[in-house]
Amino acid sequence: MKHNFRKLEIWKESRTLVKDTYIMTKKFPSSETYGLVSQIQRCSVSIVSNIAEGSARESDKHFLQYLETALGSSFEWETQLILAYDLNYIEEGFFNKQVSRIQKIQAMISNFKNRLL
């Protein structure tokens, strides 16, 4: 294995995002259990999972594909967060903090991709 995902800061940061996403979505209405809650949870899990899975690939080229998927999931997560804000499930201060956080993760993934190129 070329990269140990447990040592990657993008994996650590994304792992924390998963935990906080689950905590956040516990406060959403029960009517969203199979809608927005499920969607945003799956996005967060996809980010961290693709980073881990890609790290096991034999070449940086293959790892890049998984990082692309993780990056896509991060933008999907951001969209779900915006929707949660639009629906008044989260407050503005919390929303702004989480937007900054996901943008940091997006930048970390992009920068790591650039180092692999």
Side-chain angles (χ1 to χ4, degrees), residues 20-67:
D20 293 345
T21 296
Y22 275 76
I23 291 169
M24 172 184 69
T25 55
K26 281 184 181 182
K27 300 173 186 172
F28 286 18
S30 60
S31 62
E32 288 291 354
T33 299
Y34 301 106
L36 195 55
V37 169
S38 175
Q39 190 67 27
I40 198 167
Q41 288 175 349
R42 284 185 288 133
C43 291
S44 66
V45 170
S46 177
I47 297 166
V48 72
S49 298
N50 276 287
I51 293 167
E53 187 173 354
S55 71
R57 300 302 171 191
E58 293 297 320
S59 71
D60 287 346
K61 178 183 175 186
H62 288 110
F63 193 5
L64 283 167
Q65 293 172 331
Y66 284 88
L67 291 173

Side-chain angles (χ1 to χ4, degrees), residues 1-12 51-52 54-56 63 112:
M1 178 169 41
K2 280 183 93 167
H3 303 277
N4 182 342
F5 68 89
R6 290 182 184 92
K7 293 182 180 181
L8 296 174
E9 287 303 314
I10 54 173
W11 181 81
K12 292 175 186 176
I51 293 167
S55 71
F63 193 5
F112 189 68

